[in-house]
Amino acid sequence: MKLLQSNKIGNLSLTNSIAMAPMTRARGEGNGVANDLTVLYYTQRATAGLIITEGINISEQALGSPFTLGIYTEEQIAGWKKVTDAVHEKGGKIFAQLWHTGRVAHSADKKGVLPVAPSAIAIAGQQHFSSQGLVDYETPRALSTIEVKLVVQDYKQAAINAIEAGFDGVELHAATGYLPNQFLAESANIRNDEYGGSIENRSRFILEVMQAISATIGETKTGIKLSPSIPYNSIIESDPIATYSYLIKELNNLPLAYIHLMNPLFLPEQGFEQYAKDVMGTFGTLTKHTVIANAGYTRETAEEELQKGIAKIISFGVPFIANPDLVKRFELNSELNEADRTTFYGGNEKGYTDYPSLQ
């Protein structure tokens, strides 16, 4: 199976072509520090060729949901060092996903401070998971031009912190409606400065972040996750194919480790005909970087995707939640544990570190 064949990302050797996708689990302490359960959770899954962590808040401003982890204090860096050491001891490789939630947040978990975003436009038709339960989204405060440039520096510092914490590299979370995706989307960005208007301007924030990170931590240690066909979190594009085609071609100018592309999710059958249904065929062919394909794969469909030759690695989310030994189960074609969706977010070891492995 191609899934079980060794692979490379830049200079990093991977034992197989299976990645663990980033997934918010909200199991952190109130101070955003990875604890012993976090260490165990990732160590259990270290047989993945590559682990990409849950989204890690790059700053206090970046935080969107309760019990999520950060990488902007010395204590947080030390907590992640325990995780990376444990994964490396098991022979695994691990990237940190850098996260700024932007408007996908609520003041209830931000000490009463409003979320920030490219423009003062709230997410419509959805509610946010907060420490006070489900709440309506607030209208965020628009970042000034100077503040945007400071956020770029926050990403750069977070990448430095991640390398200090022992990560093999970092991934920019630019998907599913978080801050970088908000800058890219017309529905969330109506700025009239250098970061708004044209596709080139709306792409500027992501490109500046990627340039800053890759220039700072070294070549082929930086990846990016994109969701070109996911309108979730009020991310609506009039011409997403043009937008993402421009962005991906510009990213070819940078020494990246990979581009992590998500298949369509949350895409209604009607009214969204402008979105590409075949993300790998439409966008994966535009990049010179290694493509990691994500969202909705089984053992069989993942193998089929690799056989097409566009994606070189497949990332799995929910299957890794319920199957810490997913690689072994794929190897043996064994039955998979079923995930308990009621325990995805928050809580303790139940639904986190207590799923059984094969004996």
Side-chain angles (χ1 to χ4, degrees):
M1 291 183 71
K2 281 185 171 290
L3 272 176
L4 300 175
Q5 292 176 5
S6 60
N7 215 318
K8 290 192 77 174
I9 285 181
N11 299 320
L12 199 64
S13 296
L14 310 180
T15 55
N16 52 62
S17 300
I18 299 168
M20 175 175 160
M23 293 169 287
T24 302
R25 302 307 310 274
R27 293 302 206 286
E29 309 293 341
N31 55 6
V33 176
N35 55 28
D36 290 343
L37 270 183
T38 315
V39 175
L40 178 58
Y41 172 71
Y42 285 109
T43 307
Q44 287 175 334
R45 291 154 179 82
T47 52
L50 176 67
I51 290 175
I52 308 166
T53 70
E54 61 209 271
I56 307 176
N57 297 305
I58 64 167
S59 64
E60 188 173 7
Q61 182 197 71
L63 190 144
S65 297
F67 310 116
T68 53
L69 305 177
I71 198 158
Y72 53 90
T73 71
E74 289 301 323
E75 192 178 6
Q76 291 167 352
I77 294 169
W80 281 114
K81 186 72 167 66
K82 294 177 183 177
V83 174
T84 61
D85 283 349
V87 168
H88 289 147
E89 284 174 16
K90 290 284 188 178
K93 304 294 192 298
I94 184 166
F95 270 44
Q97 191 189 57
L98 303 184
W99 196 26
H100 192 310
T101 60
R103 66 180 186 172
V104 190
H106 196 277
S107 60
D109 294 303
K110 297 170 72 67
K111 300 178 181 177
V113 177
L114 277 176
V116 297
S119 302
I121 304 172
I123 294 172
Q126 294 173 216
Q127 287 188 305
H128 183 66
F129 167 71
S130 79
S131 57
Q132 297 179 3
L134 287 175
V135 292
D136 291 335
Y137 279 103
E138 302 164 304
T139 300
R141 179 180 67 80
L143 291 160
S144 70
T145 303
I146 292 174
E147 286 178 310
V148 174
K149 296 182 185 301
L150 291 175
V151 176
V152 173
Q153 295 307 306
D154 286 342
Y155 273 110
K156 175 181 174 180
Q157 185 60 53
I160 293 169
N161 295 349
I163 299 303
E164 182 183 340
F167 284 102
D168 297 297
V170 302
E171 174 181 285
L172 175 65
H173 192 350
T176 56
Y178 294 107
L179 187 67
N181 201 182
Q182 292 161 32
F183 271 95
L184 199 59
E186 296 158 293
S187 62
N189 181 352
I190 55 171
R191 301 176 69 92
N192 55 16
D193 64 357
E194 65 200 86
Y195 295 99
S198 65
I199 290 175
E200 291 79 5
N201 281 358
R202 286 184 281 113
S203 300
R204 190 182 307 277
F205 178 74
I206 289 176
L207 292 172
E208 285 186 356
V209 170
M210 295 299 286
Q211 287 162 356
I213 293 174
S214 60
T216 301
I217 66 173
E219 293 190 359
T220 66
K221 291 184 179 180
T222 308
I224 184 171
K225 191 173 190 185
L226 299 170
S227 54
S229 295
I230 296 180
Y232 186 64
N233 282 327
S234 294
I235 295 297
I236 309 298
E237 295 274 5
S238 63
D239 193 349
I241 292 178
T243 299
Y244 281 90
S245 295
Y246 171 81
L247 176 62
I248 290 169
K249 288 175 182 176
E250 287 297 304
L251 289 170
N252 281 335
N253 297 320
L254 298 176
L256 304 186
Y258 62 80
I259 289 185
H260 195 174
L261 293 175
M262 295 185 73
N263 289 313
L265 295 172
F266 321 112
L267 192 61
E269 289 296 320
Q270 295 182 331
F272 291 83
E273 288 76 17
Q274 73 270 35
Y275 289 91
K277 301 295 192 295
D278 177 12
V279 166
M280 301 309 146
T282 304
F283 302 108
T285 53
L286 301 179
T287 181
K288 71 176 188 181
H289 302 302
T290 296
V291 172
I292 301 179
N294 172 246
Y297 289 104
T298 64
R299 177 180 183 270
E300 290 70 31
T301 60
E303 188 67 19
E304 289 171 7
E305 189 68 78
L306 291 180
Q307 293 291 346
K308 293 176 185 176
I310 299 171
K312 303 302 182 185
I313 296 168
I314 307 294
S315 70
F316 297 86
V318 173
F320 258 120
I321 287 179
N323 300 275
D325 58 345
L326 185 66
V327 174
K328 175 60 71 173
R329 288 175 188 262
F330 279 172
E331 182 183 338
L332 300 176
N333 198 17
S334 299
E335 186 177 352
L336 301 186
N337 297 323
E338 192 165 335
D340 177 5
R341 292 181 177 272
T342 66
T343 59
F344 276 9
Y345 307 110
N348 49 30
E349 71 277 359
K350 180 173 171 54
Y352 189 51
T353 56
D354 65 344
Y355 282 104
S357 294
L358 294 171
Q359 296 303 314

